[in-house]
Amino acid sequence: MSSTDKLNQLHSFLQQSSIMQLVNMFDLMPDMLFWIKNTDSEIIYANRAFQQHIGVNSLEHAIGLTDYDFAPPHLARQYVVDDQRVMAGQAVDNRLEMNILKNGELRWFTTSKRILLDSNDQLIGTYGVSRHLEKTSLALTGMQALKIPVEFIRANYMHDICIVELAELSHLSISALERRFKKFLHKTPKQFINEVRLENARRLLVETTLPIAIIAGECGFPDPSYFTRQFTKLFDEKPSDFRLSFNPS
């Protein structure tokens, strides 16, 4: 089946009134990006928040685009790899990921993705949602207490960060802080710190020519071997292989 046929198939699927009524609900959630892609990771539907996020004026201008059309290559690659993982049976749940706004600023989002099946249970694509971490912080009651530790981690990820210090900054006990992270970010403070460090390391691997050991140290991993293990665990490839994929020469 050609890419055009797949797009037409998805259009037909979405035009079912019951489906469109549900999909249109996402336009009522300005802090949430929602999209549907076909099996080639081409956008077939995007809510208004997603359209604004990628800088287009209408759904028609978004249809058929891939992440490579509006995101930095190293980020687009991760999004497409996630699509492939989802289609292979791996769910993406509240993944912390760096994203780029249309003004060029990098921000943090939490993303979840699932497979999309037709009425015959045949795989026809994926769908997902992303929530802007800062906007979510302002929108959800109780999340405000995480705003301070999250911003502290983003600004100081390259240094040693003590959970006790985070709790004191948040005016919470350690157990209360951990419960708050698990409730709103679905991860512990240590997991969040680790992922922030790894996301920044991934960016430096593409944007600089610094040795991997130096990047590891600058992102809070004094042991390069431990950094490599953690990077491989999160991104399914070694830092050296990741860098080589963007600069084969």
Side-chain angles (χ1 to χ4, degrees):
M1 183 183 293
S2 69
S3 177
T4 300
D5 289 336
K6 291 177 182 177
L7 286 171
N8 290 336
Q9 181 187 54
L10 279 171
H11 272 301
S12 177
F13 180 75
L14 288 175
Q15 288 309 311
Q16 300 176 43
S17 59
S18 59
I19 297 296
M20 285 307 299
Q21 288 176 26
L22 292 174
V23 167
N24 287 337
M25 285 291 294
F26 284 95
D27 281 333
L28 304 179
M29 304 175 185
D31 66 323
M32 181 177 291
L33 310 181
F34 172 74
W35 67 90
I36 300 174
K37 299 178 183 176
N38 65 10
T39 53
D40 293 324
S41 290
E42 296 169 328
I43 294 173
I44 184 63
Y45 179 84
N47 71 339
R48 291 195 186 101
F50 191 94
Q51 294 168 34
Q52 294 172 359
H53 175 71
I54 66 175
V56 299
N57 297 321
S58 66
L59 176 59
E60 287 71 24
H61 291 133
I63 291 175
L65 297 180
T66 71
D67 293 293
Y68 286 100
D69 293 310
F70 49 80
H74 67 289
L75 297 181
R77 183 169 178 267
Q78 182 62 53
Y79 306 152
V80 172
V81 167
D82 279 347
D83 294 341
Q84 295 168 349
R85 288 176 181 168
V86 169
M87 288 186 283
Q90 299 181 35
V92 173
D93 287 310
N94 292 295
R95 177 189 177 91
L96 176 70
E97 58 186 24
M98 194 180 292
N99 209 320
I100 189 167
L101 305 181
K102 63 181 180 180
N103 63 5
E105 294 182 3
L106 290 173
R107 288 293 181 265
W108 295 97
F109 287 72
T110 54
T111 298
S112 299
K113 296 182 179 182
R114 293 291 186 274
I115 58 171
L116 180 65
L117 304 175
D118 65 13
S119 57
N120 296 315
D121 289 332
Q122 296 298 307
L123 176 67
I124 56 175
T126 62
Y127 65 95
V129 294
S130 284
R131 303 198 76 170
H132 191 304
L133 196 56
E134 286 87 347
K135 288 185 178 179
T136 300
S137 298
L138 297 175
L140 295 177
T141 302
M143 184 68 178
Q144 191 66 25
L146 285 186
K147 191 172 187 297
I148 292 175
V150 164
E151 290 181 350
F152 182 85
I153 291 168
R154 287 176 54 195
N156 297 279
Y157 65 87
M158 67 292 295
H159 305 303
D160 287 335
I161 297 177
C162 176
I163 303 302
V164 172
E165 181 181 16
L166 285 179
E168 291 176 349
L169 286 171
S170 307
H171 303 290
L172 295 169
S173 67
I174 294 176
S175 59
L177 179 71
E178 291 179 338
R179 287 195 300 270
R180 200 70 59 90
F181 265 84
K182 290 291 287 185
K183 179 177 181 180
F184 292 104
L185 298 179
H186 304 278
K187 57 184 87 268
T188 66
K190 289 184 178 180
Q191 289 172 327
F192 183 83
I193 293 167
N194 196 57
E195 292 186 17
V196 169
R197 287 171 171 166
L198 291 170
E199 285 286 0
N200 279 281
R202 184 171 63 163
R203 174 179 56 83
L204 291 176
L205 285 168
V206 174
E207 296 179 355
T208 76
T209 58
L210 291 171
I212 291 175
I214 298 298
I215 289 176
E218 290 196 354
C219 291
F221 295 97
D223 182 351
S225 297
Y226 179 74
F227 163 69
T228 295
R229 292 195 299 272
Q230 291 297 304
F231 189 97
T232 304
K233 181 179 180 181
L234 184 61
F235 299 122
D236 278 346
E237 62 182 333
K238 296 179 180 178
S240 56
D241 293 336
F242 176 81
R243 170 174 270 176
L244 185 62
S245 68
F246 287 93
N247 186 17
S249 60

